[in-house]
Amino acid sequence: MGLLFGSLEGYGRSLRTIGLWGDDIADAKFFHDIRNRIGPFRISLRDTKVDREIASIGSQGEVSLYYRGLSHLDQTDRLLKYLTGLSAISWSSST
């Protein structure tokens, strides 16, 4: 995870939103210290090996994908399969 915007619980109107940027936010101790207090509304997922963003996902169901060639489409496909496996994304079937 390279970017996170979220509401921050526990501070009322004094501190309502937080934004975090980094190469791998999920690996940072600070993120683990506060993650239970954050209500994310946008995250960006990145490939840390090549320092590129794969996709940005919002809480209203919007997904932004960045096309940078066929290998990037493969990464995007693997990401969507992974999120589907976690039940973070559900797909409706059309009949």
Side-chain angles (χ1 to χ4, degrees):
M1 185 169 26
L3 172 138
L4 176 138
F5 289 111
S7 57
L8 194 58
E9 299 175 13
Y11 297 97
R13 295 184 57 81
S14 298
L15 180 60
R16 300 186 306 188
T17 305
I18 191 167
L20 303 171
W21 290 269
D23 289 336
D24 189 359
I25 295 168
D27 194 40
K29 182 183 179 318
F30 176 72
F31 174 74
H32 288 276
D33 291 346
I34 66 168
R35 70 180 179 183
N36 292 331
R37 301 182 85 168
I38 299 174
F41 51 81
R42 171 145 312 270
I43 64 165
S44 171
L45 301 166
R46 58 187 299 112
D47 181 343
T48 57
K49 293 177 190 171
V50 293
D51 196 28
R52 284 193 186 155
E53 189 170 302
I54 299 170
S56 176
I57 302 170
S59 61
Q60 300 297 312
E62 67 275 16
V63 178
S64 299
L65 307 173
Y66 304 95
Y67 179 75
R68 292 185 181 100
L70 292 177
S71 65
H72 189 257
L73 288 178
D74 184 49
Q75 287 179 315
T76 303
D77 185 52
R78 287 191 317 239
L79 172 63
L80 294 175
K81 284 180 182 177
Y82 176 76
L83 293 173
T84 300
L86 292 175
S87 298
I89 297 176
S90 61
W91 305 94
S92 62
S93 59
S94 59
T95 55

